[in-house]
Amino acid sequence: MAEKEIKKIVESKPTAVATPSSSSSSGITEEKSKATTPPSAPAIPETIVPVVEKAEEAESQRSRQSSDRDIALAHVEQEKRLSFIKAWEESEQSKAVYKAEKQISALNAWENRKKASIDAKLKYIEEELEKKKAEYAEKMKNMVALVHKQTEEKRAIVQARKGEDLLMIQEKAAKYRATGYTPKKILGCISF
């Protein structure tokens, strides 16, 4: 739009030259008239071209600056968004890690409790087995003692019979000697 205004100004007043003002922030050019050419003379195209080119350059520079500013703002917004995303991601990751570590800790505690319970049961069973073993060992010792006692009693009975049998044999031998009678059986299987 500024180009059209500059062209209109330059075409309507051929003696006036439009130059951009350094103090104007909106980029509107001021006109300065110079009486270098007579009013009847046609406009010099050399003076029109630089003004149009300068206006175009100023317009393109302004558009470049605004587009650069827009790009910079967009870049800042992008960085801001990415930093928020990165912060969110790190926060969520730390939450997930904390949650997993908490669950692992709970599992380890559960495992330790179960192991302790099993160890306690095992010790209890071992103690019970030791008690039963001691009871059975005592019973077996008692049985061995009983068997030994019964054996001694039977041995004593056998010794007593042996003594009785020997005494009876000695009495019979004395009777046979006294009577002169010969026993019918000698040594049990040999007879005369």
PDB file of all heavy atoms in Angstrom, residues 8-9 23 29 41 44 50 54 62 72 100 118 140 158-159 164 167 179 189:
ATOM      1  N   LYS A   8       1.736   7.437  -6.493  1.00  0.00           N
ATOM      2  CA  LYS A   8       0.768   8.509  -6.760  1.00  0.00           C
ATOM      3  C   LYS A   8       1.400   9.863  -6.494  1.00  0.00           C
ATOM      4  O   LYS A   8       1.209  10.798  -7.243  1.00  0.00           O
ATOM      5  CB  LYS A   8      -0.470   8.344  -5.883  1.00  0.00           C
ATOM      6  CG  LYS A   8      -1.363   7.215  -6.319  1.00  0.00           C
ATOM      7  CD  LYS A   8      -2.550   7.112  -5.390  1.00  0.00           C
ATOM      8  CE  LYS A   8      -3.395   5.922  -5.767  1.00  0.00           C
ATOM      9  NZ  LYS A   8      -4.507   5.740  -4.851  1.00  0.00           N
ATOM     10  N   ILE A   9       2.122   9.954  -5.410  1.00  0.00           N
ATOM     11  CA  ILE A   9       2.765  11.228  -5.068  1.00  0.00           C
ATOM     12  C   ILE A   9       3.783  11.588  -6.122  1.00  0.00           C
ATOM     13  O   ILE A   9       3.859  12.720  -6.583  1.00  0.00           O
ATOM     14  CB  ILE A   9       3.423  11.160  -3.682  1.00  0.00           C
ATOM     15  CG1 ILE A   9       2.361  10.999  -2.585  1.00  0.00           C
ATOM     16  CG2 ILE A   9       4.279  12.376  -3.411  1.00  0.00           C
ATOM     17  CD1 ILE A   9       2.917  10.686  -1.241  1.00  0.00           C
ATOM     18  N   SER A  23      12.834   9.650  11.310  1.00  0.00           N
ATOM     19  CA  SER A  23      12.141   9.838  12.587  1.00  0.00           C
ATOM     20  C   SER A  23      10.751   9.235  12.559  1.00  0.00           C
ATOM     21  O   SER A  23      10.122   9.097  13.584  1.00  0.00           O
ATOM     22  CB  SER A  23      12.072  11.328  12.930  1.00  0.00           C
ATOM     23  OG  SER A  23      11.289  12.006  11.952  1.00  0.00           O
ATOM     24  N   THR A  29       6.470   8.293   4.078  1.00  0.00           N
ATOM     25  CA  THR A  29       7.529   9.181   3.581  1.00  0.00           C
ATOM     26  C   THR A  29       7.035  10.605   3.489  1.00  0.00           C
ATOM     27  O   THR A  29       5.853  10.858   3.288  1.00  0.00           O
ATOM     28  CB  THR A  29       8.006   8.706   2.199  1.00  0.00           C
ATOM     29  OG1 THR A  29       6.900   8.704   1.331  1.00  0.00           O
ATOM     30  CG2 THR A  29       8.608   7.336   2.279  1.00  0.00           C
ATOM     31  N   ALA A  41       8.839  20.867 -17.697  1.00  0.00           N
ATOM     32  CA  ALA A  41       9.689  19.743 -18.082  1.00  0.00           C
ATOM     33  C   ALA A  41       9.106  18.429 -17.562  1.00  0.00           C
ATOM     34  O   ALA A  41       8.516  18.383 -16.494  1.00  0.00           O
ATOM     35  CB  ALA A  41      11.086  19.938 -17.542  1.00  0.00           C
ATOM     36  N   ILE A  44      11.799  13.175 -14.329  1.00  0.00           N
ATOM     37  CA  ILE A  44      12.973  12.364 -14.627  1.00  0.00           C
ATOM     38  C   ILE A  44      12.744  10.950 -14.048  1.00  0.00           C
ATOM     39  O   ILE A  44      12.510  10.811 -12.863  1.00  0.00           O
ATOM     40  CB  ILE A  44      14.243  12.990 -14.037  1.00  0.00           C
ATOM     41  CG1 ILE A  44      14.417  14.400 -14.598  1.00  0.00           C
ATOM     42  CG2 ILE A  44      15.454  12.141 -14.292  1.00  0.00           C
ATOM     43  CD1 ILE A  44      15.517  15.161 -13.950  1.00  0.00           C
ATOM     44  N   PRO A  50      14.648   5.403  -7.834  1.00  0.00           N
ATOM     45  CA  PRO A  50      15.258   5.174  -6.526  1.00  0.00           C
ATOM     46  C   PRO A  50      14.260   5.315  -5.392  1.00  0.00           C
ATOM     47  O   PRO A  50      14.341   4.602  -4.389  1.00  0.00           O
ATOM     48  CB  PRO A  50      16.339   6.227  -6.426  1.00  0.00           C
ATOM     49  CG  PRO A  50      16.644   6.609  -7.807  1.00  0.00           C
ATOM     50  CD  PRO A  50      15.402   6.370  -8.575  1.00  0.00           C
ATOM     51  N   LYS A  54      13.571   2.441  -2.863  1.00  0.00           N
ATOM     52  CA  LYS A  54      13.789   2.644  -1.432  1.00  0.00           C
ATOM     53  C   LYS A  54      12.528   2.310  -0.654  1.00  0.00           C
ATOM     54  O   LYS A  54      12.581   1.724   0.418  1.00  0.00           O
ATOM     55  CB  LYS A  54      14.210   4.087  -1.160  1.00  0.00           C
ATOM     56  CG  LYS A  54      15.611   4.388  -1.594  1.00  0.00           C
ATOM     57  CD  LYS A  54      15.963   5.816  -1.267  1.00  0.00           C
ATOM     58  CE  LYS A  54      17.375   6.149  -1.753  1.00  0.00           C
ATOM     59  NZ  LYS A  54      17.734   7.536  -1.449  1.00  0.00           N
ATOM     60  N   ARG A  62      10.631  -3.949   6.622  1.00  0.00           N
ATOM     61  CA  ARG A  62       9.641  -3.999   7.694  1.00  0.00           C
ATOM     62  C   ARG A  62       8.962  -5.364   7.743  1.00  0.00           C
ATOM     63  O   ARG A  62       8.761  -5.939   8.803  1.00  0.00           O
ATOM     64  CB  ARG A  62       8.586  -2.904   7.487  1.00  0.00           C
ATOM     65  CG  ARG A  62       9.001  -1.565   8.025  1.00  0.00           C
ATOM     66  CD  ARG A  62       7.807  -0.659   7.939  1.00  0.00           C
ATOM     67  NE  ARG A  62       7.390  -0.551   6.539  1.00  0.00           N
ATOM     68  CZ  ARG A  62       7.374   0.558   5.841  1.00  0.00           C
ATOM     69  NH1 ARG A  62       7.707   1.678   6.419  1.00  0.00           N
ATOM     70  NH2 ARG A  62       7.017   0.566   4.598  1.00  0.00           N
ATOM     71  N   ALA A  72      10.758 -15.501  15.534  1.00  0.00           N
ATOM     72  CA  ALA A  72      11.394 -15.565  16.848  1.00  0.00           C
ATOM     73  C   ALA A  72      10.360 -15.875  17.925  1.00  0.00           C
ATOM     74  O   ALA A  72      10.603 -16.700  18.820  1.00  0.00           O
ATOM     75  CB  ALA A  72      12.105 -14.247  17.159  1.00  0.00           C
ATOM     76  N   ALA A 100       7.183 -47.691  40.716  1.00  0.00           N
ATOM     77  CA  ALA A 100       7.779 -49.012  40.519  1.00  0.00           C
ATOM     78  C   ALA A 100       8.682 -49.376  41.697  1.00  0.00           C
ATOM     79  O   ALA A 100       8.649 -50.509  42.195  1.00  0.00           O
ATOM     80  CB  ALA A 100       8.568 -49.048  39.210  1.00  0.00           C
ATOM     81  N   ILE A 118       8.119 -68.774  56.852  1.00  0.00           N
ATOM     82  CA  ILE A 118       8.491 -70.140  56.467  1.00  0.00           C
ATOM     83  C   ILE A 118       9.648 -70.632  57.323  1.00  0.00           C
ATOM     84  O   ILE A 118       9.661 -71.791  57.776  1.00  0.00           O
ATOM     85  CB  ILE A 118       8.823 -70.197  54.960  1.00  0.00           C
ATOM     86  CG1 ILE A 118       7.541 -69.996  54.148  1.00  0.00           C
ATOM     87  CG2 ILE A 118       9.481 -71.519  54.591  1.00  0.00           C
ATOM     88  CD1 ILE A 118       7.766 -69.792  52.670  1.00  0.00           C
ATOM     89  N   MET A 140      12.880 -96.125  72.068  1.00  0.00           N
ATOM     90  CA  MET A 140      13.738 -97.201  71.545  1.00  0.00           C
ATOM     91  C   MET A 140      14.728 -97.670  72.625  1.00  0.00           C
ATOM     92  O   MET A 140      14.965 -98.877  72.780  1.00  0.00           O
ATOM     93  CB  MET A 140      14.503 -96.728  70.311  1.00  0.00           C
ATOM     94  CG  MET A 140      13.638 -96.464  69.094  1.00  0.00           C
ATOM     95  SD  MET A 140      12.763 -97.942  68.589  1.00  0.00           S
ATOM     96  CE  MET A 140      11.101 -97.338  68.581  1.00  0.00           C
ATOM     97  N   VAL A 158      16.949-120.059  81.800  1.00  0.00           N
ATOM     98  CA  VAL A 158      17.711-121.131  81.151  1.00  0.00           C
ATOM     99  C   VAL A 158      18.829-121.599  82.082  1.00  0.00           C
ATOM    100  O   VAL A 158      19.069-122.816  82.233  1.00  0.00           O
ATOM    101  CB  VAL A 158      18.259-120.656  79.795  1.00  0.00           C
ATOM    102  CG1 VAL A 158      19.265-121.656  79.220  1.00  0.00           C
ATOM    103  CG2 VAL A 158      17.130-120.452  78.810  1.00  0.00           C
ATOM    104  N   GLN A 159      19.507-120.689  82.741  1.00  0.00           N
ATOM    105  CA  GLN A 159      20.591-121.046  83.665  1.00  0.00           C
ATOM    106  C   GLN A 159      20.026-121.846  84.853  1.00  0.00           C
ATOM    107  O   GLN A 159      20.639-122.829  85.295  1.00  0.00           O
ATOM    108  CB  GLN A 159      21.303-119.794  84.178  1.00  0.00           C
ATOM    109  CG  GLN A 159      22.156-119.082  83.158  1.00  0.00           C
ATOM    110  CD  GLN A 159      23.385-119.886  82.753  1.00  0.00           C
ATOM    111  OE1 GLN A 159      23.867-120.790  83.483  1.00  0.00           O
ATOM    112  NE2 GLN A 159      23.896-119.617  81.558  1.00  0.00           N
ATOM    113  N   GLU A 164      19.147-127.000  87.413  1.00  0.00           N
ATOM    114  CA  GLU A 164      18.231-128.044  87.876  1.00  0.00           C
ATOM    115  C   GLU A 164      18.494-129.359  87.152  1.00  0.00           C
ATOM    116  O   GLU A 164      18.494-130.430  87.761  1.00  0.00           O
ATOM    117  CB  GLU A 164      16.785-127.609  87.688  1.00  0.00           C
ATOM    118  CG  GLU A 164      16.317-126.519  88.607  1.00  0.00           C
ATOM    119  CD  GLU A 164      14.911-126.055  88.287  1.00  0.00           C
ATOM    120  OE1 GLU A 164      14.259-126.627  87.383  1.00  0.00           O
ATOM    121  OE2 GLU A 164      14.459-125.090  88.932  1.00  0.00           O
ATOM    122  N   LEU A 167      21.641-130.917  88.322  1.00  0.00           N
ATOM    123  CA  LEU A 167      21.412-131.475  89.650  1.00  0.00           C
ATOM    124  C   LEU A 167      20.635-132.790  89.554  1.00  0.00           C
ATOM    125  O   LEU A 167      20.938-133.774  90.247  1.00  0.00           O
ATOM    126  CB  LEU A 167      20.663-130.460  90.509  1.00  0.00           C
ATOM    127  CG  LEU A 167      20.585-130.726  91.987  1.00  0.00           C
ATOM    128  CD1 LEU A 167      21.974-130.826  92.598  1.00  0.00           C
ATOM    129  CD2 LEU A 167      19.781-129.675  92.693  1.00  0.00           C
ATOM    130  N   THR A 179      22.509-148.337  92.878  1.00  0.00           N
ATOM    131  CA  THR A 179      21.735-149.529  92.558  1.00  0.00           C
ATOM    132  C   THR A 179      22.467-150.426  91.573  1.00  0.00           C
ATOM    133  O   THR A 179      22.121-151.602  91.450  1.00  0.00           O
ATOM    134  CB  THR A 179      20.379-149.158  91.955  1.00  0.00           C
ATOM    135  OG1 THR A 179      20.521-148.399  90.812  1.00  0.00           O
ATOM    136  CG2 THR A 179      19.481-148.515  92.949  1.00  0.00           C
ATOM    137  N   CYS A 189      20.845-140.815  72.172  1.00  0.00           N
ATOM    138  CA  CYS A 189      20.506-141.531  70.941  1.00  0.00           C
ATOM    139  C   CYS A 189      21.151-142.920  70.897  1.00  0.00           C
ATOM    140  O   CYS A 189      20.744-143.766  70.152  1.00  0.00           O
ATOM    141  CB  CYS A 189      20.874-140.713  69.720  1.00  0.00           C
ATOM    142  SG  CYS A 189      22.598-140.324  69.588  1.00  0.00           S
TER     143      CYS A 189
END
